Amino acid sequence: MSLLLHDVEVVPGVRVDVRVEGGMVSAIRTDLTPRSGERVVDGRGGALLPGLHDHHIHLLALGAAATSVVTGPIEAVAPALRGADDALPEGAWLRAVGYDEPQGPTSGGNELDRAALDAVVPDRPVRVQGRTGHLWVLNGAALRAIGLGDHPNGRFIDQDDWLRSRLPPASLPDLGPVAGELARAGVTGVTDATPAPDADALNAALQAGAVRQRVVSMACRVAPGTGVDAGPIKLLPSDEAPPAVEDLGAEITAVHETGRPVAVHCASRVSLVTTLAAIDDSGARAGDRIEHAAVAPPECVASLARLGLTVVTQPHFIAERGDRYLTDVDPDDVRWLYRLRGHLDAGVAIAAGTDAPVGRADPWAAMRAAVRRETAAGAVLGPDERLTPEQALRLFTNAPHDPGGPSRTIEAGAEADLCLLQVPWTVAREELTVDLVGATVRAGELLYAAVEL
Ligand SMILES: [Zn+2]
């Protein structure tokens, strides 16, 4: 069954028809007429782009977040938990996400802990995750349930794997709604950035759900034939107290020996400095990448360029959290936050991911933030780091396995992973909003079409 995308713009200003057959683009001409039985999408001159690839996302957490209580700052935690406590059956675990942990020197004594949770929900096991994903706080009932009744404060930082082995198995989230939201945003592929020994849970959720996007996984073991591609292997050195350079270097070498590149999480200056020194020791491999590079001073950017590393960044954190960065982040680091132009000018390849559910799962918000660098309150953070709309788009249109590489092209013989906008690019580039997406095609299959089409 073929698909005809009628009257679309592949090159800005040039309107063509595009036929898709067998999962591939088969023809691009100005005069294609519909065949009998062929599905036709009338593009009305809208831009046809390569389907977007979100290079850093957490599918299972995003699916779970959709069924968890969302909290916010500490004042919002208690009412949210009380409401959920009333609604849940007796004895069921209450899982909450998105707790806004206060940062920096002003936070003293104002942190969520076991006692604070017990004051709100004393009887039911409760676990609350911090917004950045590093912190879990458990109440007394939860601690008792996992045999840690005498734990002093119930706070666990960067102990996800250890905690998970003790918690009751979480039911696998339904990824259907997540996949639907991604399709509405023009996303045809994702790289799941959750560090895991194997991709079993992800596979199981994918089998149950309706994810038709291409999925690349950073898990260590990805079983062949499951439809999940093996990507780089994620390493997660601590941002506050990174390991010794030699130890991290040995870990990187061990990953390289498996034939896969590394994707190293670096959300602080010190973790990036340590990681760069470690990669210098171990040697870089094609495809090695740094996730976030949240703080990248010039000497680090020079090393990134010299080592040929790709940075997978999150420009929308500027929009979502920029005002907090301005008050909480070390002033020496603020100008080096989530850099874009600085990387390109130094020859460092960049791509982007939403890091959802840590950030919103909207690549268009990320592109907009890359162009504007505006915080919610309207401050501009790092005006020299702004990209053009075309550069911002490219953060999401490079190949799934080559985030640092060139944008994919739409031509006969190319895989039909496509994102059709409802307006020409000259209009879209000024707005960069998700509601401009008119249709999403993955391997020739229509995943989404706006009603107007
Ligand atoms: Zn992440």
Side-chain angles (χ1 to χ4, degrees):
M1 177 67 133
S2 63
L3 176 68
L4 183 63
L5 303 167
H6 169 68
D7 190 16
V8 298
E9 187 194 67
V10 173
V11 174
V14 183
R15 295 165 79 149
V16 294
D17 302 320
V18 174
R19 175 163 282 136
V20 168
E21 288 175 282
M24 315 288 264
V25 173
S26 62
I28 303 180
R29 294 173 46 169
T30 52
D31 57 352
L32 294 174
T33 46
R35 296 171 179 160
S36 75
E38 185 169 56
R39 182 143 193 200
V40 180
V41 171
D42 186 357
R44 297 176 193 170
L48 186 66
L49 310 172
L52 307 183
H53 189 90
D54 189 327
H55 289 282
H56 185 126
I57 195 169
H58 302 272
L59 284 178
L60 294 178
L62 187 55
T67 54
S68 297
V69 184
V70 177
T71 53
I74 200 158
E75 316 81 69
V77 171
L81 295 183
R82 261 187 219 108
D85 187 32
D86 291 343
L88 280 171
E90 195 181 327
W93 280 67
L94 195 172
R95 181 184 190 279
V97 297
Y99 160 56
D100 243 336
E101 175 87 341
Q103 305 284 321
T106 53
S107 68
N110 196 22
E111 292 167 335
L112 192 65
D113 62 6
R114 164 186 189 153
L117 288 177
D118 280 345
V120 185
V121 183
D123 301 325
R124 172 194 303 287
V126 177
R127 57 182 163 130
V128 179
Q129 189 183 36
R131 185 181 290 279
T132 58
H134 295 277
L135 168 75
W136 279 102
V137 187
L138 274 61
N139 74 345
L143 290 165
R144 283 189 295 278
I146 63 170
L148 295 173
D150 54 359
H151 193 279
N153 56 15
R155 290 170 59 86
F156 300 88
I157 294 168
D158 284 333
Q159 295 176 65
D160 262 36
D161 289 341
W162 180 86
L163 256 188
R164 199 174 298 119
S165 67
R166 278 157 186 80
L167 292 169
S171 54
L172 285 171
D174 173 11
L175 295 181
V178 167
E181 187 187 349
L182 293 172
R184 276 193 297 283
V187 174
T188 55
V190 299
T191 297
D192 188 274
T194 306
D198 50 54
D200 289 356
L202 183 60
N203 268 324
L206 290 172
Q207 272 155 24
V211 179
R212 287 186 284 169
Q213 281 86 357
R214 175 204 295 270
V215 178
V216 178
S217 169
M218 293 190 191
C220 299
R221 281 185 303 278
V222 179
T226 54
V228 175
D229 284 7
I233 290 180
K234 176 87 170 275
L235 297 178
L236 196 84
S238 161
D239 286 315
E240 288 75 33
V245 170
E246 307 78 63
D247 295 346
L248 186 56
E251 255 191 281
I252 291 165
T253 300
V255 170
H256 286 164
E257 282 167 358
T258 70
R260 287 165 68 183
V262 289
V264 189
H265 164 106
C266 295
S268 72
R269 184 192 282 247
V270 62
S271 62
L272 182 58
V273 168
T274 306
T275 299
L276 291 170
I279 294 179
D280 224 345
D281 281 0
S282 66
R285 187 197 149 95
D288 281 348
R289 45 191 264 186
I290 302 294
E291 308 304 298
H292 319 302
V295 182
E299 61 276 17
C300 287
V301 175
S303 299
L304 287 163
R306 183 171 50 80
L307 294 166
L309 301 171
T310 292
V311 168
V312 176
T313 184
Q314 287 74 38
H316 55 308
F317 285 173
I318 297 291
E320 293 180 14
R321 304 160 175 206
D323 295 307
R324 201 139 39 95
Y325 292 153
L326 285 170
T327 56
D328 295 354
V329 171
D330 185 333
D332 289 342
D333 286 348
V334 167
R335 60 189 298 210
W336 312 128
L337 281 173
Y338 293 100
R339 302 186 69 185
L340 299 166
R341 260 298 288 281
H343 287 310
L344 291 181
D345 288 349
V348 176
I350 55 175
T354 61
D355 204 9
V358 182
R360 283 172 53 208
D362 178 359
W364 297 91
M367 289 182 227
R368 214 161 52 239
V371 171
R372 301 182 185 166
R373 302 220 23 130
E374 269 174 20
T375 71
V380 175
L381 215 159
D384 296 342
E385 298 295 336
R386 288 189 281 215
L387 298 184
T388 65
E390 289 72 23
Q391 290 170 323
L393 175 65
R394 226 170 287 147
L395 298 173
F396 290 97
T397 56
N398 29 34
H401 288 285
D402 187 15
S407 178
R408 283 145 40 234
T409 50
I410 299 172
E411 56 193 2
E415 189 164 38
D417 286 2
L418 305 165
C419 168
L420 175 62
L421 302 185
Q422 303 185 48
V423 294
W425 179 248
T426 48
V427 177
R429 73 189 296 283
E430 303 296 327
E431 300 177 23
L432 297 173
T433 55
V434 68
D435 42 82
L436 298 177
V437 175
T440 304
V441 176
R442 157 72 183 133
E445 201 188 340
L446 198 58
L447 295 192
Y448 167 71
V451 281
E452 301 92 286
L453 289 174

